[in-house]
Amino acid sequence: PSIIGAKPLTTPWGLAEQNQKLYVSHGDSGYSLLDVSDPAAPTVTATWSDRSTRDFIWSGSTLFVMSKDNVYIYDVTDPAAPVFLSQVQSSPSL
């Protein structure tokens, strides 16, 4: 592997890429969507700070957003405008 391009980000965690779009988690600071159609010059197209995130699973038009305690499910037919669908909450510890 070799570095083609770089984008400085604070506290990057997990990521998910599909169709030259890349979601990047910022931990407790939310997440961003980057356009990576030009890998040498990735650009941030949107940022959300309303939810703590840790990682993503992107499948078709569905994005599973993992936080520390929950999984949030979004319709990302338009990746720049995620639509909240559902939430799976973790069980309280016994």
Side-chain angles (χ1 to χ4, degrees), residues 72-89:
Y72 301 95
I73 304 168
Y74 290 89
D75 177 329
V76 288
T77 300
D78 176 358
V83 176
F84 178 74
L85 299 174
S86 183
Q87 174 180 347
V88 179
Q89 292 182 305

Side-chain angles (χ1 to χ4, degrees), residues 16-23 33-34 36 57-62 76 79:
E17 187 272 339
Q18 183 171 276
N19 299 326
Q20 300 179 334
K21 302 293 184 198
L22 175 71
Y23 283 103
L33 177 66
L34 284 76
V36 292
I57 297 173
W58 194 346
S59 178
S61 62
T62 304
V76 288

Side-chain angles (χ1 to χ4, degrees), residues 5 7 9 11-18 20-27 30-34 36 42 53-59 62-66:
K7 184 72 174 175
L9 299 169
T11 65
W13 285 66
L15 51 87
E17 187 272 339
Q18 183 171 276
Q20 300 179 334
K21 302 293 184 198
L22 175 71
Y23 283 103
V24 177
S25 167
H26 301 296
Y31 61 107
S32 295
L33 177 66
L34 284 76
V36 292
T53 61
R54 295 295 184 260
D55 205 359
F56 307 96
I57 297 173
W58 194 346
S59 178
T62 304
L63 183 70
F64 299 87
V65 180
M66 274 60 79

Side-chain angles (χ1 to χ4, degrees), residues 24-32 47-53 56:
V24 177
S25 167
H26 301 296
D28 292 334
S29 299
Y31 61 107
S32 295
T47 298
W48 299 271
S49 57
D50 62 331
R51 189 169 315 283
S52 175
T53 61
F56 307 96

